[in-house]
Amino acid sequence: MKDFDKLLNTLKDSILTYDYFVDFKKAFKNVDEINYNLNILNHLLGHPNFDEAFRMMYTKNPDVISVIPILLATRDKKFEITENKKVFYDFENLTNPVDYLTFIRKTGLIEIFYDHRIKNLVDYVTGVEVGLDSNSRKNRSGVAMNNIVYGFLKSVPEIEILKETNPTKVFNQWGITLNIRNKVFDFVVKDSSNHIFLIETNYYKASGSKLNETAKSYILLNQEINKSNKAKFMWITDGKGWLSVKNDLKSAYNSIEYLYNISDLENGILKNIFNKK
């Protein structure tokens, strides 16, 4: 029996794991890739004649220019600045060194080179990379939810699991045509009875307008999939963010036959669904 109140009352406060915080391997790898150029720039730290030293460095090692944006904590390489007129800066296709000197001064980046508190740009950029990586934490909740669901799917015997799969890949893998839009699903499962389940997962710790949009879009997606008669839609979601829009979640719960949370998975719901004759 479906029980919406039970689903609502068992939403998780957190699915936090230790790898939520910072991907240090990724941060260090990013720094290692530009380590050489950063060390060349180190020679400009505290230089008494910065402009002349910069031009000389540019002449000998023009590729050094490419690492300037990361000093401002951005991965972008092209910028359009609006002042009295629009000014373009390109850190991939080299232009005049005077342009870059203007950019360094007007962004305030020059303070890094004048202020003797910064001794090494490799260490500085390592801190920048850690900061940029932490900005992706919102996405990590989705990744964590995906991993949790995958763990439960793997515990079910006699099913085949495809990750990040669209209907085209389903046809290539199993020869089954799904008459639905060519959307990428988090998982596609085929059980021993050749039932196909198209699965989406997400986790919402906080409220927001996106939850309302997600619920509505998945109701429509479920209707579309049901028309194909060759697959079923399964939505596995969690997080206390749903409490602020519980009516939207309830509408989806009443419309989507296979809508579950982590607690349902913990109670073995998947083993009751897959492999039924």
Side-chain angles (χ1 to χ4, degrees):
M1 291 288 293
K2 290 171 71 74
D3 185 342
F4 178 71
D5 289 335
K6 181 179 179 183
L7 179 129
L8 207 63
N9 292 331
T10 55
L11 293 173
K12 303 286 186 184
D13 285 309
S14 172
I15 54 172
L16 195 67
T17 56
Y18 287 112
D19 57 5
Y20 165 81
F21 298 97
V22 175
D23 186 342
F24 284 102
K25 288 183 179 179
K26 176 184 173 184
F28 292 149
K29 179 178 179 291
N30 289 343
V31 175
D32 287 343
E33 289 175 352
I34 59 174
N35 186 290
Y36 178 78
N37 285 335
L38 290 174
N39 275 307
I40 292 176
L41 275 179
N42 272 336
H43 294 294
L44 299 183
L45 291 173
H47 200 287
N49 193 337
F50 179 85
D51 288 15
E52 181 180 340
F54 180 87
R55 291 190 182 93
M56 186 177 297
M57 177 209 68
Y58 180 90
T59 301
K60 294 181 178 180
N61 301 281
D63 287 345
V64 169
I65 298 301
S66 65
V67 303
I68 287 177
I70 196 63
L71 301 181
L72 292 165
T74 177
R75 301 196 193 283
D76 295 332
K77 295 293 186 180
K78 297 181 181 181
F79 306 94
E80 179 183 308
I81 307 297
T82 301
E83 288 187 309
N84 296 328
K85 62 178 182 178
K86 291 183 178 179
V87 183
F88 297 90
Y89 295 96
D90 191 336
F91 289 86
E92 290 180 322
N93 302 303
L94 303 180
T95 57
N96 192 312
V98 175
D99 294 340
Y100 299 118
L101 279 169
T102 301
F103 182 87
I104 290 170
R105 290 188 177 279
K106 289 196 172 185
T107 58
L109 186 57
I110 190 66
E111 298 301 325
I112 286 179
F113 296 95
Y114 281 173
D115 192 332
H116 292 279
R117 285 180 293 183
I118 295 176
K119 308 296 183 183
N120 188 305
L121 290 176
V122 175
D123 294 341
Y124 170 85
V125 172
T126 298
V128 169
E129 284 289 347
V130 168
L132 288 175
D133 187 75
S134 68
N135 288 336
S136 64
R137 287 177 183 168
K138 185 180 294 186
N139 295 331
R140 286 196 193 122
S141 293
V143 172
M145 185 66 178
N146 201 286
N147 290 337
I148 289 170
V149 172
Y150 185 53
F152 282 104
L153 288 173
K154 288 195 299 182
S155 70
V156 180
E158 300 182 72
I159 67 170
E160 296 180 56
I161 308 166
L162 300 178
K163 299 174 69 175
E164 298 292 324
T165 302
N166 60 20
T168 299
K169 291 182 180 179
V170 169
F171 177 79
N172 293 337
Q173 182 74 20
W174 296 322
I176 297 173
T177 300
L178 300 175
N179 297 316
I180 59 174
R181 75 183 91 160
N182 202 28
K183 168 185 167 54
V184 175
F185 293 88
D186 291 325
F187 303 100
V188 177
V189 169
K190 181 166 77 75
D191 67 12
S192 60
S193 298
N194 289 322
H195 299 137
I196 302 294
F197 289 85
L198 309 176
I199 304 173
E200 285 285 86
T201 73
N202 40 51
Y203 176 86
Y204 296 108
K205 183 177 180 64
S207 61
S209 60
K210 185 176 181 180
L211 285 79
N212 174 281
E213 295 168 4
T214 299
K216 290 180 179 178
S217 67
Y218 282 175
I219 289 173
L220 295 175
L221 179 60
N222 179 67
Q223 292 171 352
E224 179 186 353
I225 292 171
N226 283 343
K227 290 177 183 178
S228 75
N229 295 317
K230 292 186 179 180
K232 294 293 184 181
F233 178 57
M234 182 182 294
W235 181 19
I236 304 172
T237 189
D238 215 305
K240 291 296 180 84
W242 284 114
L243 296 179
S244 64
V245 288
K246 56 186 177 183
N247 288 335
D248 295 300
L249 182 60
K250 186 173 185 178
S251 294
Y253 189 77
N254 290 334
S255 301
I256 300 172
E257 181 179 0
Y258 302 100
L259 196 163
Y260 305 113
N261 64 10
I262 294 174
S263 178
D264 292 322
L265 305 189
E266 292 171 341
N267 290 326
I269 190 68
L270 296 180
K271 293 179 181 178
N272 295 329
I273 294 171
F274 298 134
N275 302 319
K276 283 189 174 181
K277 301 298 182 183

